[in-house]
Amino acid sequence: MSAAKKASKKKSETAYAAAGVDLQLGNSVKSGIGDQVKGTHRPEVLSSVGGFGGLFDARFKKYQHPVLVTSIDGVGTKLKVASMMMKHDTIGSDLVNHCIDDIAVLGAEPLFFLDYLGTSSLDPGTFSQILSGMTSACANSKCALIGGETAQMPGLYHGDDYDLVGTIVGIVDKKKMITGKKIKAGDVLVGFPSSGLHTNGFSLARSILFKELRLKVTDGLPGTRQTIGEALLATHVNYQPMLKKLSRHVTYKGLAHITGGGFVDNIPRILPKNVDVEIQIGSWKMPPIFRFLQEKSRVSPEELYHVFNMGIGMVAIVSPKDAVRILDKTTSWIIGSVVPGKGVTKLKF
Protein backbone atom coordinates (compact mmCIF):
# COMPACT_ATOMS: atom_id res chain seq x y z
CA MET A 1 0.00 0.00 0.00
CA SER A 2 1.37 3.44 -0.95
CA ALA A 3 2.12 6.10 1.66
CA ALA A 4 -0.76 8.20 0.28
CA LYS A 5 -3.26 5.34 0.59
CA LYS A 6 -2.06 4.56 4.13
CA ALA A 7 -2.50 8.18 5.13
CA SER A 8 -5.96 8.28 3.57
CA LYS A 9 -6.95 5.03 5.38
CA LYS A 10 -5.66 6.33 8.72
CA LYS A 11 -7.50 9.63 8.26
CA SER A 12 -10.73 7.78 7.45
CA GLU A 13 -10.39 5.51 10.48
CA THR A 14 -9.67 8.52 12.69
CA ALA A 15 -12.79 10.22 11.40
CA TYR A 16 -14.89 7.13 12.15
CA ALA A 17 -13.44 6.95 15.66
CA ALA A 18 -14.22 10.64 16.14
CA ALA A 19 -17.79 9.82 15.15
CA GLY A 20 -17.87 7.26 17.95
CA VAL A 21 -16.97 3.97 16.25
CA ASP A 22 -13.47 2.68 16.92
CA LEU A 23 -12.73 -0.12 14.46
CA GLN A 24 -9.28 -0.80 15.87
CA LEU A 25 -10.67 -1.13 19.39
CA GLY A 26 -13.39 -3.46 18.13
CA ASN A 27 -10.90 -5.66 16.33
CA SER A 28 -8.58 -5.67 19.34
CA VAL A 29 -11.33 -6.62 21.77
CA LYS A 30 -12.58 -9.42 19.52
CA SER A 31 -9.13 -10.79 18.71
CA GLY A 32 -9.15 -13.24 21.60
CA ILE A 33 -12.62 -14.65 21.00
CA GLY A 34 -11.49 -17.68 19.02
CA ASP A 35 -9.88 -19.64 21.83
CA GLN A 36 -12.77 -19.04 24.23
CA VAL A 37 -15.48 -19.91 21.74
CA LYS A 38 -13.66 -23.00 20.48
CA GLY A 39 -14.19 -24.56 23.89
CA THR A 40 -17.97 -24.59 23.26
CA HIS A 41 -17.80 -26.28 19.85
CA ARG A 42 -19.37 -29.65 19.20
CA PRO A 43 -18.03 -32.05 16.54
CA GLU A 44 -20.71 -30.81 14.12
CA VAL A 45 -19.27 -27.28 13.98
CA LEU A 46 -17.45 -26.87 10.66
CA SER A 47 -16.54 -23.18 10.80
CA SER A 48 -14.19 -20.98 12.81
CA VAL A 49 -14.91 -17.63 14.41
CA GLY A 50 -14.80 -14.60 12.11
CA GLY A 51 -16.48 -15.91 8.98
CA PHE A 52 -19.60 -14.46 7.40
CA GLY A 53 -21.65 -17.38 8.68
CA GLY A 54 -21.43 -20.29 11.07
CA LEU A 55 -21.41 -23.80 9.66
CA PHE A 56 -23.03 -26.78 11.39
CA ASP A 57 -23.21 -30.32 10.02
CA ALA A 58 -26.92 -31.18 9.78
CA ARG A 59 -26.66 -34.96 9.49
CA PHE A 60 -28.67 -35.97 12.57
CA LYS A 61 -28.23 -39.73 12.42
CA LYS A 62 -29.74 -40.58 15.81
CA TYR A 63 -33.04 -38.86 15.00
CA GLN A 64 -35.79 -40.57 13.00
CA HIS A 65 -37.58 -37.33 12.18
CA PRO A 66 -35.44 -34.40 13.31
CA VAL A 67 -37.24 -31.12 13.96
CA LEU A 68 -35.26 -27.92 14.48
CA VAL A 69 -36.46 -25.67 17.30
CA THR A 70 -35.49 -21.99 17.41
CA SER A 71 -35.91 -19.13 19.83
CA ILE A 72 -34.61 -15.59 20.35
CA ASP A 73 -34.62 -13.50 23.52
CA GLY A 74 -32.78 -10.99 25.68
CA VAL A 75 -32.32 -10.36 29.38
CA GLY A 76 -34.35 -7.16 29.64
CA THR A 77 -33.43 -4.39 32.03
CA LYS A 78 -31.45 -6.79 34.21
CA LEU A 79 -28.68 -5.18 32.16
CA LYS A 80 -29.18 -2.03 34.22
CA VAL A 81 -28.54 -3.93 37.45
CA ALA A 82 -25.42 -5.51 35.94
CA SER A 83 -24.12 -2.04 35.12
CA MET A 84 -24.94 -0.79 38.63
CA MET A 85 -23.02 -3.75 40.08
CA MET A 86 -20.25 -3.51 37.44
CA LYS A 87 -20.66 -7.27 37.00
CA HIS A 88 -21.53 -8.64 33.58
CA ASP A 89 -20.49 -12.31 33.46
CA THR A 90 -23.76 -13.60 34.91
CA ILE A 91 -25.66 -11.67 32.23
CA GLY A 92 -23.97 -13.80 29.57
CA SER A 93 -24.97 -16.99 31.38
CA ASP A 94 -28.51 -15.66 31.88
CA LEU A 95 -28.93 -15.13 28.17
CA VAL A 96 -27.83 -18.64 27.20
CA ASN A 97 -29.77 -20.40 29.95
CA HIS A 98 -32.97 -18.48 29.23
CA CYS A 99 -32.84 -19.42 25.56
CA ILE A 100 -32.10 -23.08 26.37
CA ASP A 101 -35.11 -23.23 28.71
CA ASP A 102 -37.37 -21.77 26.02
CA ILE A 103 -36.67 -24.70 23.71
CA ALA A 104 -36.33 -27.30 26.47
CA VAL A 105 -40.08 -27.07 27.10
CA LEU A 106 -40.56 -28.69 23.69
CA GLY A 107 -38.14 -31.48 24.56
CA ALA A 108 -35.32 -30.01 22.46
CA GLU A 109 -31.59 -30.45 22.91
CA PRO A 110 -29.58 -27.23 22.27
CA LEU A 111 -27.27 -27.35 19.25
CA PHE A 112 -25.85 -23.88 18.69
CA PHE A 113 -26.18 -20.30 19.86
CA LEU A 114 -25.57 -16.84 18.38
CA ASP A 115 -25.40 -13.52 20.19
CA TYR A 116 -25.83 -9.84 19.41
CA LEU A 117 -24.26 -7.05 21.49
CA GLY A 118 -25.19 -3.46 20.67
CA THR A 119 -23.49 -0.62 22.51
CA SER A 120 -22.53 3.02 22.29
CA SER A 121 -18.84 2.37 22.87
CA LEU A 122 -17.31 -1.06 23.25
CA ASP A 123 -15.78 -1.52 26.70
CA PRO A 124 -13.18 -4.33 26.68
CA GLY A 125 -13.80 -5.31 30.31
CA THR A 126 -17.55 -5.52 29.93
CA PHE A 127 -17.27 -7.45 26.67
CA SER A 128 -14.83 -9.92 28.21
CA GLN A 129 -17.15 -10.60 31.16
CA ILE A 130 -20.20 -11.11 28.94
CA LEU A 131 -18.29 -13.47 26.64
CA SER A 132 -16.98 -15.41 29.63
CA GLY A 133 -20.52 -15.96 30.91
CA MET A 134 -21.85 -17.03 27.51
CA THR A 135 -19.02 -19.44 26.74
CA SER A 136 -19.23 -21.00 30.20
CA ALA A 137 -22.99 -21.57 29.92
CA CYS A 138 -22.68 -22.90 26.36
CA ALA A 139 -19.89 -25.29 27.29
CA ASN A 140 -21.86 -26.58 30.29
CA SER A 141 -24.81 -27.32 28.01
CA LYS A 142 -22.88 -28.75 25.05
CA CYS A 143 -24.27 -25.87 23.00
CA ALA A 144 -21.86 -24.41 20.45
CA LEU A 145 -21.38 -20.64 20.41
CA ILE A 146 -21.16 -20.51 16.65
CA GLY A 147 -21.27 -16.80 15.84
CA GLY A 148 -22.31 -13.31 16.86
CA GLU A 149 -22.35 -9.61 16.12
CA THR A 150 -20.88 -6.72 18.08
CA ALA A 151 -22.16 -3.31 16.97
CA GLN A 152 -20.96 0.11 18.09
CA MET A 153 -23.82 2.57 17.58
CA PRO A 154 -23.26 5.92 19.29
CA GLY A 155 -26.38 8.03 19.22
CA LEU A 156 -28.64 5.00 19.48
CA TYR A 157 -27.14 3.73 22.76
CA HIS A 158 -25.89 6.23 25.32
CA GLY A 159 -23.22 6.16 28.00
CA ASP A 160 -22.57 2.65 29.30
CA ASP A 161 -25.87 1.28 27.97
CA TYR A 162 -25.81 -1.88 25.91
CA ASP A 163 -28.26 -4.49 24.69
CA LEU A 164 -27.73 -8.21 24.53
CA VAL A 165 -29.77 -10.69 22.49
CA GLY A 166 -29.35 -14.41 21.88
CA THR A 167 -30.64 -16.83 19.26
CA ILE A 168 -30.64 -20.57 19.82
CA VAL A 169 -31.22 -23.57 17.57
CA GLY A 170 -32.01 -26.98 19.02
CA ILE A 171 -33.35 -30.32 17.86
CA VAL A 172 -36.00 -32.81 18.90
CA ASP A 173 -37.34 -36.01 17.37
CA LYS A 174 -40.87 -35.27 16.16
CA LYS A 175 -42.35 -38.21 18.05
CA LYS A 176 -40.80 -36.92 21.29
CA MET A 177 -42.02 -33.32 21.04
CA ILE A 178 -43.80 -32.05 24.16
CA THR A 179 -46.87 -30.23 22.88
CA GLY A 180 -49.39 -30.09 25.71
CA LYS A 181 -52.08 -31.75 23.59
CA LYS A 182 -52.54 -34.65 26.04
CA ILE A 183 -53.07 -32.47 29.12
CA LYS A 184 -56.38 -33.29 30.78
CA ALA A 185 -58.36 -32.58 33.93
CA GLY A 186 -56.88 -34.47 36.87
CA ASP A 187 -53.25 -33.85 35.88
CA VAL A 188 -51.10 -31.92 38.32
CA LEU A 189 -48.56 -29.12 38.10
CA VAL A 190 -45.08 -29.59 39.52
CA GLY A 191 -43.03 -26.44 40.06
CA PHE A 192 -39.24 -26.28 40.02
CA PRO A 193 -37.50 -23.53 42.01
CA SER A 194 -36.04 -20.42 40.42
CA SER A 195 -32.91 -18.69 41.69
CA GLY A 196 -34.69 -15.35 41.76
CA LEU A 197 -36.12 -13.03 39.11
CA HIS A 198 -34.17 -14.83 36.37
CA THR A 199 -34.50 -12.41 33.41
CA ASN A 200 -37.99 -10.91 33.75
CA GLY A 201 -39.78 -8.23 35.71
CA PHE A 202 -36.75 -6.04 36.31
CA SER A 203 -38.42 -2.79 35.26
CA LEU A 204 -41.00 -3.25 38.03
CA ALA A 205 -38.43 -4.55 40.54
CA ARG A 206 -36.10 -1.61 39.89
CA SER A 207 -38.99 0.82 40.27
CA ILE A 208 -39.96 -0.67 43.64
CA LEU A 209 -36.46 -1.09 45.04
CA PHE A 210 -34.59 1.91 43.70
CA LYS A 211 -37.30 4.54 43.16
CA GLU A 212 -39.98 3.86 45.76
CA LEU A 213 -37.78 2.42 48.54
CA ARG A 214 -34.64 4.39 47.52
CA LEU A 215 -32.41 1.39 48.13
CA LYS A 216 -28.98 0.78 46.66
CA VAL A 217 -27.57 -2.40 45.14
CA THR A 218 -25.12 -2.53 48.03
CA ASP A 219 -27.87 -2.56 50.69
CA GLY A 220 -28.46 -5.89 52.42
CA LEU A 221 -31.52 -7.99 51.60
CA PRO A 222 -33.27 -8.59 54.96
CA GLY A 223 -33.12 -12.18 56.19
CA THR A 224 -30.17 -13.09 53.95
CA ARG A 225 -26.43 -12.56 53.61
CA GLN A 226 -26.93 -11.14 50.14
CA THR A 227 -27.05 -7.57 48.95
CA ILE A 228 -30.01 -6.39 46.89
CA GLY A 229 -27.76 -6.38 43.83
CA GLU A 230 -26.53 -9.92 44.40
CA ALA A 231 -30.08 -11.21 44.79
CA LEU A 232 -31.17 -9.49 41.58
CA LEU A 233 -28.22 -10.86 39.61
CA ALA A 234 -28.78 -14.48 40.66
CA THR A 235 -28.16 -16.52 37.51
CA HIS A 236 -31.07 -17.86 35.50
CA VAL A 237 -31.37 -21.62 36.09
CA ASN A 238 -30.82 -23.96 33.13
CA TYR A 239 -33.47 -26.66 33.64
CA GLN A 240 -32.72 -28.68 30.49
CA PRO A 241 -30.25 -31.20 31.99
CA MET A 242 -32.60 -31.97 34.88
CA LEU A 243 -35.63 -32.27 32.60
CA LYS A 244 -33.74 -34.60 30.27
CA LYS A 245 -32.65 -36.81 33.16
CA LEU A 246 -36.18 -36.95 34.58
CA SER A 247 -37.62 -37.86 31.18
CA ARG A 248 -36.18 -41.38 31.62
CA HIS A 249 -38.63 -41.90 34.48
CA VAL A 250 -41.67 -39.70 33.72
CA THR A 251 -43.76 -38.50 30.79
CA TYR A 252 -44.23 -34.77 30.43
CA LYS A 253 -47.63 -33.78 29.13
CA GLY A 254 -46.57 -30.15 29.07
CA LEU A 255 -43.75 -27.87 30.20
CA ALA A 256 -43.91 -24.11 30.73
CA HIS A 257 -40.98 -21.77 31.21
CA ILE A 258 -42.17 -19.06 33.62
CA THR A 259 -40.75 -15.90 32.07
CA GLY A 260 -42.33 -12.54 31.19
CA GLY A 261 -46.04 -12.79 31.93
CA GLY A 262 -45.54 -15.04 34.94
CA PHE A 263 -48.01 -17.84 35.61
CA VAL A 264 -50.91 -16.03 34.01
CA ASP A 265 -49.55 -15.74 30.48
CA ASN A 266 -47.07 -18.60 30.16
CA ILE A 267 -48.95 -21.72 31.26
CA PRO A 268 -51.93 -21.13 28.91
CA ARG A 269 -49.48 -21.28 25.98
CA ILE A 270 -49.42 -25.08 26.35
CA LEU A 271 -53.01 -25.75 27.46
CA PRO A 272 -55.78 -27.33 25.39
CA LYS A 273 -58.82 -25.04 25.21
CA ASN A 274 -60.99 -27.34 27.34
CA VAL A 275 -58.97 -27.11 30.58
CA ASP A 276 -57.73 -24.51 33.07
CA VAL A 277 -54.99 -24.72 35.67
CA GLU A 278 -55.45 -23.70 39.27
CA ILE A 279 -52.28 -22.50 41.01
CA GLN A 280 -52.30 -22.83 44.79
CA ILE A 281 -50.40 -19.80 46.03
CA GLY A 282 -48.22 -20.59 49.04
CA SER A 283 -47.55 -24.19 48.07
CA TRP A 284 -43.83 -23.60 47.47
CA LYS A 285 -40.90 -21.94 49.20
CA MET A 286 -40.57 -18.37 47.96
CA PRO A 287 -37.07 -16.80 47.67
CA PRO A 288 -36.47 -13.83 50.01
CA ILE A 289 -36.30 -11.28 47.16
CA PHE A 290 -39.93 -12.00 46.26
CA ARG A 291 -41.11 -11.87 49.87
CA PHE A 292 -39.41 -8.48 50.19
CA LEU A 293 -40.99 -7.14 47.00
CA GLN A 294 -44.38 -8.43 48.13
CA GLU A 295 -44.13 -6.93 51.61
CA LYS A 296 -42.67 -3.54 50.65
CA SER A 297 -44.57 -2.71 47.46
CA ARG A 298 -48.10 -1.54 46.85
CA VAL A 299 -48.44 -3.88 43.88
CA SER A 300 -51.41 -6.25 44.06
CA PRO A 301 -50.69 -9.98 44.57
CA GLU A 302 -52.41 -10.71 41.25
CA GLU A 303 -50.03 -8.41 39.39
CA LEU A 304 -46.95 -9.79 41.16
CA TYR A 305 -47.79 -13.31 39.95
CA HIS A 306 -48.46 -11.90 36.48
CA VAL A 307 -45.07 -10.18 36.27
CA PHE A 308 -42.64 -12.31 38.29
CA ASN A 309 -41.96 -16.05 38.51
CA MET A 310 -42.30 -15.71 42.32
CA GLY A 311 -39.89 -18.59 42.90
CA ILE A 312 -41.05 -21.06 40.23
CA GLY A 313 -38.98 -20.99 37.04
CA MET A 314 -40.31 -24.09 35.30
CA VAL A 315 -43.62 -25.96 35.50
CA ALA A 316 -44.24 -29.56 34.45
CA ILE A 317 -47.77 -30.85 33.88
CA VAL A 318 -47.87 -34.59 34.50
CA SER A 319 -50.06 -37.39 35.80
CA PRO A 320 -50.36 -37.71 39.61
CA LYS A 321 -48.15 -40.83 39.55
CA ASP A 322 -45.39 -39.06 37.63
CA ALA A 323 -45.66 -36.09 39.99
CA VAL A 324 -44.77 -38.39 42.90
CA ARG A 325 -41.74 -39.68 40.97
CA ILE A 326 -40.56 -36.10 40.29
CA LEU A 327 -40.95 -35.06 43.93
CA ASP A 328 -38.92 -38.08 44.95
CA LYS A 329 -36.01 -37.20 42.66
CA THR A 330 -35.85 -33.38 42.77
CA THR A 331 -36.45 -30.28 44.83
CA SER A 332 -39.93 -29.41 43.62
CA TRP A 333 -43.52 -28.90 44.74
CA ILE A 334 -47.01 -29.76 43.56
CA ILE A 335 -48.29 -26.24 42.97
CA GLY A 336 -51.64 -26.81 41.28
CA SER A 337 -53.97 -28.96 39.24
CA VAL A 338 -55.68 -29.14 35.87
CA VAL A 339 -59.46 -28.69 35.88
CA PRO A 340 -62.16 -28.37 33.20
CA GLY A 341 -62.17 -24.88 31.72
CA LYS A 342 -61.26 -22.65 28.79
CA GLY A 343 -57.43 -22.59 28.71
CA VAL A 344 -56.59 -20.05 31.42
CA THR A 345 -54.59 -19.84 34.66
CA LYS A 346 -56.48 -19.25 37.91
CA LEU A 347 -54.60 -18.10 40.99
CA LYS A 348 -55.91 -19.46 44.28
CA PHE A 349 -54.85 -17.28 47.24
Side-chain angles (χ1 to χ4, degrees):
M1 183 182 293
S2 69
K5 286 185 177 180
K6 287 182 179 179
S8 176
K9 183 173 185 278
K10 184 175 181 181
K11 183 177 180 180
S12 175
E13 289 177 347
T14 301
Y16 206 10
V21 180
D22 192 330
L23 293 177
Q24 289 186 344
L25 174 62
N27 290 334
S28 175
V29 167
K30 291 183 284 186
S31 63
I33 289 179
D35 290 339
Q36 284 183 268
V37 171
K38 189 176 181 180
T40 73
H41 284 182
R42 301 159 53 111
E44 299 94 336
V45 176
L46 305 178
S47 55
S48 58
V49 174
F52 285 100
L55 301 173
F56 194 92
D57 190 332
R59 293 175 294 178
F60 305 117
K61 296 179 180 179
K62 67 178 182 178
Y63 294 87
Q64 292 184 9
H65 187 160
V67 175
L68 295 180
V69 185
T70 66
S71 186
I72 183 170
D73 219 316
V75 293
T77 60
K78 190 172 186 177
L79 296 171
K80 285 288 190 182
V81 181
S83 293
M84 294 165 74
M85 291 285 286
M86 293 184 289
K87 179 176 172 56
H88 305 273
D89 56 332
T90 55
I91 289 293
S93 298
D94 286 327
L95 181 66
V96 173
N97 292 346
H98 180 121
C99 288
I100 289 175
D101 286 339
D102 273 351
I103 65 170
V105 298
L106 291 161
E109 170 195 350
L111 292 175
F112 57 86
F113 185 83
L114 301 98
D115 70 276
Y116 166 82
L117 172 66
T119 181
S120 172
S121 179
L122 190 59
D123 178 74
T126 299
F127 179 82
S128 178
Q129 288 186 47
I130 294 169
L131 180 63
S132 174
M134 288 193 298
T135 54
S136 175
C138 282
N140 289 338
S141 304
K142 296 181 174 58
C143 179
L145 181 53
I146 201 172
E149 167 67 3
T150 304
Q152 299 178 66
M153 295 189 286
L156 183 60
Y157 298 100
H158 302 280
D160 295 329
D161 287 347
Y162 67 90
D163 198 12
L164 187 63
V165 179
T167 299
I168 194 165
V169 175
I171 187 169
V172 63
D173 219 320
K174 187 175 182 180
K175 66 180 181 181
K176 294 183 179 180
M177 288 192 303
I178 303 168
T179 63
K181 291 180 180 179
K182 295 183 179 180
I183 295 173
K184 64 180 182 179
D187 290 333
V188 297
L189 281 70
V190 178
F192 299 99
S194 69
S195 61
L197 274 70
H198 282 180
T199 53
N200 298 99
F202 277 84
S203 294
L204 178 57
R206 289 188 303 109
S207 178
I208 295 169
L209 296 170
F210 305 134
K211 292 184 180 179
E212 293 181 23
L213 301 179
R214 299 182 181 277
L215 295 172
K216 299 178 181 178
V217 289
T218 52
D219 289 331
L221 177 63
T224 76
R225 295 182 179 181
Q226 287 184 307
T227 64
I228 294 291
E230 288 169 342
L232 291 176
L233 284 189
T235 305
H236 195 301
V237 177
N238 175 4
Y239 297 97
Q240 193 266 340
M242 176 199 67
L243 293 172
K244 183 178 180 180
K245 187 176 180 179
L246 279 174
S247 68
R248 301 168 191 161
H249 310 283
V250 304
T251 299
Y252 302 116
K253 295 190 177 184
L255 291 169
H257 186 197
I258 308 303
T259 59
F263 296 90
V264 177
D265 288 344
N266 285 294
I267 298 176
R269 296 164 73 175
I270 62 169
L271 293 180
K273 296 302 180 183
N274 63 340
V275 295
D276 292 341
V277 294
E278 293 182 345
I279 304 294
Q280 188 60 52
I281 304 304
S283 58
W284 64 88
K285 184 178 180 181
M286 187 185 297
I289 186 66
F290 293 116
R291 290 201 303 270
F292 188 72
L293 289 168
Q294 192 171 43
E295 292 167 2
K296 299 298 183 180
S297 75
R298 291 172 286 183
V299 181
S300 70
E302 289 79 10
E303 185 172 5
L304 289 173
Y305 284 85
H306 196 170
V307 174
F308 300 121
N309 67 61
M310 299 304 284
I312 298 294
M314 180 69 69
V315 170
I317 301 182
V318 295
S319 69
K321 288 184 179 181
D322 277 342
V324 173
R325 294 188 182 102
I326 293 175
L327 296 181
D328 184 55
K329 295 179 180 297
T330 66
T331 299
S332 55
W333 304 272
I334 292 179
I335 65 168
S337 57
V338 181
V339 298
K342 298 181 180 180
V344 301
T345 296
K346 296 179 179 179
L347 304 176
K348 298 294 182 179
F349 291 93

